[in-house]
Amino acid sequence: MKKRISLRVKTACVILAAALALPLAGCSKGKEAGNKKIVIAEPVHLIGYLPLYIAQREGYFADEGLDVNVIQATGGAHITAVVSGDAWGVIGGIDSIVLGNKNNSDPIVGVANCVNRANVYLVSKKGTSPKSGSDEDLRAFLKGKTIVAGRHGGSPNLLTRYLLINLGLDPEKDVKLLEPGDAATVVSMLQNGGGDIGNGAEPQINEGIAKGVWDEPFYKFTDMGDFSYSVFGVKKSTVKNEPETVQKFVNAILKALKTVQEDKSTAEKDLRLEFPTLGDASVKASLDRAYADSLWSRDGYISEKAVTNDMNMLIKTGIYNGSYSYRELVDMRFADKK
């Protein structure tokens, strides 16, 4: 069985135990009685995490003897939930893992890839856009604008800052950055005059288009190539003490990654079940965008290039000043076995 609960930073640790006793939100295939229960924390409910939802709904976790629940922990609580022990694992960027590992004696390590592109797009109020995609026109268009950039320290925020810096703009002086903790608010903020530009991913992009808030994105960070945007991470102690459970979890994810690439009818079916309010046009546009931009990892492997691109962003924005080691951030033994 599967559950999905939304958590806030200050209340995540307090309400999790009670939340897990709530009525079930949906069912996956297979018998789960007696299966090992684990919790995965997600920062926001996104179409990019479709392989995770497929593994639940198609019974891939159950086939491995796992009962996986997903909690939605906004505002950075997805990492906090794992550090505190309220969640077994997390889906998030290597950049988020690095920041969460600071002064942490039991660091989180990435064990499988999911979203291997920087799944963030820039949109602007309907009828507005830069003259072209050149650096000069982007710089002129962005300067002086109010940008709904997402939580400070979150990947969408960092990518926005990274672009501004690369264009020669000062994120603190040349634009006004609004930094709400919940990424899902970007549509309502731009709709109600709370910004000129926003960033986001599906289903927010098509929600904004359907409501006439903005047109198609004018900039996509997916063009950066391999990027460790959303990987599955667990504590290093979990790898040491529960290697069989980690292997079973990764097995299910690898199967789901294969399904999303090779069985698009199942991907569409599960996307509709996961996001029941999406209309036919939004479902098609969301999947078309994901496949066109090569959003999902094909083999679950987190490459050194993907981590380097992610960490270059983190370091250039000044959010992180330390060194890092690829081999300390990821453990690919479980993905390599399939």
Side-chain angles (χ1 to χ4, degrees), residues 35 42 68 100 125 177 201 233 258 276 279 290 328 336:
N35 286 355
E42 64 176 7
V68 177
K125 284 184 178 179
L177 295 180
K258 183 176 181 180
E328 291 179 359
D336 275 345

Side-chain angles (χ1 to χ4, degrees), residues 127-262:
T128 68
S129 63
K131 292 180 180 179
S132 75
S134 70
D135 287 357
E136 182 180 3
D137 286 340
L138 283 172
R139 182 167 53 249
F141 180 71
L142 291 168
K143 189 171 183 179
K145 295 294 196 303
T146 298
I147 305 174
V148 182
R151 174 180 62 87
H152 183 73
S155 300
N157 186 297
L158 292 172
L159 283 163
T160 302
R161 288 172 176 269
Y162 185 63
L163 174 63
L164 292 169
I165 293 169
N166 285 338
L167 291 174
L169 296 174
D170 186 335
E172 307 300 335
K173 297 179 180 179
D174 293 325
V175 300
K176 181 179 181 181
L177 295 180
L178 302 181
E179 301 176 321
D182 188 349
T185 62
V186 63
V187 178
S188 61
M189 290 184 72
L190 262 67
Q191 187 175 30
N192 295 305
D196 305 304
I197 294 168
N199 65 33
E202 297 293 1
Q204 285 79 27
I205 293 173
N206 270 286
E207 181 185 352
I209 292 173
K211 291 181 176 179
V213 179
W214 52 62
D215 298 305
E216 280 289 321
F218 67 86
Y219 189 87
K220 55 182 186 178
F221 290 95
T222 51
D223 287 343
M224 294 174 66
D226 289 0
F227 195 100
S228 53
Y229 188 78
S230 298
V231 307
F232 293 99
V234 299
K235 286 182 177 180
K236 200 168 185 178
S237 61
T238 301
V239 171
K240 178 181 179 181
N241 300 328
E242 303 177 47
E244 291 185 0
T245 302
V246 177
Q247 186 66 67
K248 290 176 179 180
F249 179 86
V250 173
N251 289 347
I253 291 299
L254 296 182
K255 189 173 181 180
L257 288 171
K258 183 176 181 180
T259 296
V260 82
Q261 297 290 348
E262 299 180 3

Side-chain angles (χ1 to χ4, degrees), residues 1 20 34 46 60 78 85 88 154 205 219 240-241 265 270 274 292 326-327:
M1 309 298 286
L20 291 179
L46 286 179
Y60 299 162
H78 59 307
W88 180 87
I205 293 173
Y219 189 87
K240 178 181 179 181
N241 300 328
S265 62
D270 288 343
E274 201 67 35
Y326 168 77
R327 295 188 180 281

Side-chain angles (χ1 to χ4, degrees), residues 101-119:
N101 283 346
K102 188 175 182 180
N103 300 321
N104 184 1
S105 60
D106 190 4
I108 299 170
V109 295
V111 294
N113 204 347
C114 182
V115 180
N116 193 45
R117 293 291 185 272
N119 185 28

